[in-house]
DNA sequence: AATTTGGATGTTATAATGTAACATCAGCTC
DNA sequence: GAGCTGATGTTACATTATAACATCCAAATT
């Protein structure tokens, strides 16, 4: 069960164990993403923080906070959408492992699914055959969700 | 062998057969992409057309031309990079089939590789299990090329 | 308690990517 | 030539993102 408060507490401990801090504003941004089943842009997150917490966070800060949350493996950036989503695995032990993201091109609803090792291996092989090096195996799939089909 | 002129002639015929026209400016943009092994942004293409053909094409037109070239299956948009690349299969009969793109995050060098049917099937299955519908199976992989590692 | 210090945040300006709305142009048909 | 259609131009603006520099704040040290 993804209870926001318990996830936030877990995230706080994770950060503490790494010597970083989950500050109030960082919590607001993370909570905004946790409580959304859609990926949100930085500017949408500004609006969410204003509306739900009456907190004005400038764009620059939101970008920095998102970068921090990514570095802590709490949030993913979906490059094809230029939006951000909380990691579906925050509350278990798979945090940081590789995923594919099904992204609704219409409403930005996102589902994060683990990338099968066999798939991962195939992708790796293709990349190596082409003399490239895989930096980040995150797969983003251009989809429509069931509400939008 | 990817000879620009012969590809352009082929592209002209393709367009003609569909009742569209490969105009001078569309040729310039397509040629710019064909002769680059790196994906280019719309604004980089403006510069290329200016430098190589002394042709000033406004941003709006370049975006429209890129959209046209995509609709003719001559060009791909790489969403993770916000850049564009000519289709590696223009000169054979695989035009329009599904691909994965290895994109160097450092220099934008791109390699387009056919997506194996088995992979395609696995991806489809994952998407369906999640009650999503796959709109475009294009895979973009965040890589480093051999020059940039 | 006051000081120091480094990380977090604020401010301002600007870059890069992309689109909407409306005007004009160029090539074809009649 | 008149009229039509698709292609291009113009202007304005929206969205996403970063650089550079200033300030704040909380925890540790004195
Ligand atoms: Zn995740
Ligand atoms: Zn949707
Ligand atoms: Zn292609
Ligand atoms: Zn490279």
């Amino acid at each position: 069960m993804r209870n926001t408060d318990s996830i936030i507490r877990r995230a706080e401990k994770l950060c503490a164990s790494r010597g970083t801090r989950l500050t109030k504003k960082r919590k607001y941004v993370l909570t905004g993403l946790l409580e959304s089943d859609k990926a949100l842009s930085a500017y949408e997150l500004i609006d969410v923080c204003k509306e739900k917490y009456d907190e004005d966070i400038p764009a620059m800060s939101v970008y920095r906070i998102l970068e921090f949350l990514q570095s802590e493996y709490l949030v993913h950036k979906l490059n094809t959408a230029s939006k951000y989503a909380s990691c579906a695995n925050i509350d278990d032990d798979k945090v940081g492992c590789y995923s594919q993201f099904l992204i609704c091109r219409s409403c930005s609803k996102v589902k994060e699914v683990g990338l099968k090792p066999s798939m991962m291996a195939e992708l790796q092989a293709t990349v190596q055959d082409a003399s490239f090096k895989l930096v980040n195996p995150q797969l983003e799939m251009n989809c429509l969700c069931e509400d939008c089909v």
Side-chain angles (χ1 to χ4, degrees), chain A:
Chain A
M1 50 122 224
R2 282 170 65 81
N3 173 270
T4 303
D5 288 348
S6 73
I7 293 179
I8 290 288
R9 278 194 298 276
R10 186 182 159 86
E12 274 179 317
K13 280 179 207 153
L14 270 174
C15 289
S17 77
R18 295 179 187 129
T20 62
R21 288 183 304 141
L22 193 63
T23 63
K24 187 179 68 167
K25 307 209 164 182
R26 287 170 174 173
K27 271 183 216 173
Y28 287 154
V29 171
L30 178 55
T31 304
L33 290 175
L34 282 169
E35 295 185 341
S36 170
D37 61 345
K38 303 181 194 305
L40 301 176
S41 74
Y43 287 86
E44 286 167 341
L45 280 165
I46 291 174
D47 297 340
V48 167
C49 289
K50 178 63 186 168
E51 284 157 22
K52 289 174 71 169
Y53 311 108
D54 195 37
E55 192 84 18
D56 281 299
I57 314 186
M60 189 68 251
S61 294
V62 170
Y63 278 105
R64 281 188 290 226
I65 287 170
L66 287 168
E67 197 173 359
F68 169 81
L69 294 173
Q70 287 174 82
S71 74
E72 299 291 335
Y73 306 106
L74 301 169
V75 160
H76 297 284
K77 174 168 188 185
L78 304 177
N79 296 298
T80 56
S82 294
K83 289 178 190 289
Y84 304 81
S86 58
C87 177
N89 301 317
I90 292 189
D91 48 357
D92 57 35
D93 290 333
K94 288 179 291 183
V95 182
C97 76
Y98 303 130
S99 299
Q100 52 189 313
F101 296 88
L102 318 184
I103 308 168
C104 177
R105 65 150 57 172
S106 167
C107 74
S108 294
K109 192 159 152 182
V110 177
K111 198 140 188 175
E112 178 176 356
V113 181
L115 192 53
K116 278 193 201 164
S118 63
M119 285 278 277
M120 184 61 206
E122 277 232 53
L123 294 171
Q124 270 289 6
T126 305
V127 170
Q128 282 186 1
D129 286 355
S131 304
F132 279 60
K133 180 177 177 297
L134 193 51
V135 170
N136 172 4
Q138 170 171 313
L139 288 191
E140 301 180 28
M141 321 262 320
N142 189 348
C143 297
L144 283 172
C145 77
E146 49 188 341
D147 298 337
C148 294
V149 269

